[in-house]
Amino acid sequence: LYFSAQEGILIFYHIKELQYEMKICADISQPISSLVFSPDYTSLLLVTDQGTVYSYKPAHSGEAVKLLDTSSSCFLAADFLTPGNNYCVSVTISGEVQVWSLEDGTFLSKLNLGIEVHVT
């Protein structure tokens, strides 16, 4: 079970029967608004409400790596663009859908929906 604390800490709980073990995996020092696993569960996107997206690879147990920072665009959410784990799609409050490369955080494309977007 992966869990994020208010302070931007990614925590992993390994639960087996009535026992559990807690491990702090990463500290990004920004409140995490959502956690999204890749379709093959090899990567975890850590999305902040400030518009920053980090990648964490559970098998490597390393630090979270900043992929992109969309802080100037009223960022709402991000997810993997499937199939595969190579691209990410994000959306802003103004309705701009953006596609990013997860390899190096390169902005690739955008589409303006022309409406304000809300996340529920």
Side-chain angles (χ1 to χ4, degrees):
L1 172 67
Y2 283 90
F3 170 91
S4 67
Q6 183 93 17
E7 303 82 26
I9 299 172
L10 177 65
I11 300 169
F12 172 70
Y13 281 100
H14 180 255
I15 302 168
K16 186 174 181 180
E17 298 176 4
L18 297 176
Q19 302 288 322
Y20 73 92
E21 180 182 334
M22 182 187 92
K23 176 185 173 190
I24 295 176
C25 300
D27 182 357
I28 62 170
S29 302
Q30 294 181 30
I32 299 170
S33 58
S34 65
L35 304 171
V36 183
F37 264 107
S38 62
D40 64 0
Y41 296 98
T42 60
S43 296
L44 183 63
L45 288 183
L46 312 175
V47 183
T48 73
D49 56 4
Q50 297 170 352
T52 310
V53 178
Y54 293 83
S55 174
Y56 178 78
K57 296 188 184 288
H60 297 111
S61 298
E63 277 297 306
V65 176
K66 185 190 283 190
L67 295 175
L68 55 107
D69 189 347
T70 62
S71 57
S72 63
S73 60
C74 300
F75 181 79
L76 280 180
D79 201 349
F80 287 91
L81 188 58
T82 57
N85 301 331
N86 300 327
Y87 304 100
C88 168
V89 62
S90 64
V91 65
T92 66
I93 291 172
S94 64
E96 186 173 271
V97 178
Q98 305 159 334
V99 178
W100 307 86
S101 167
L102 290 176
E103 186 174 309
D104 58 6
T106 302
F107 172 76
L108 299 172
S109 180
K110 69 179 175 180
L111 170 69
N112 194 328
L113 301 175
I115 59 169
E116 190 172 295
V117 177
H118 301 278
V119 177
T120 58

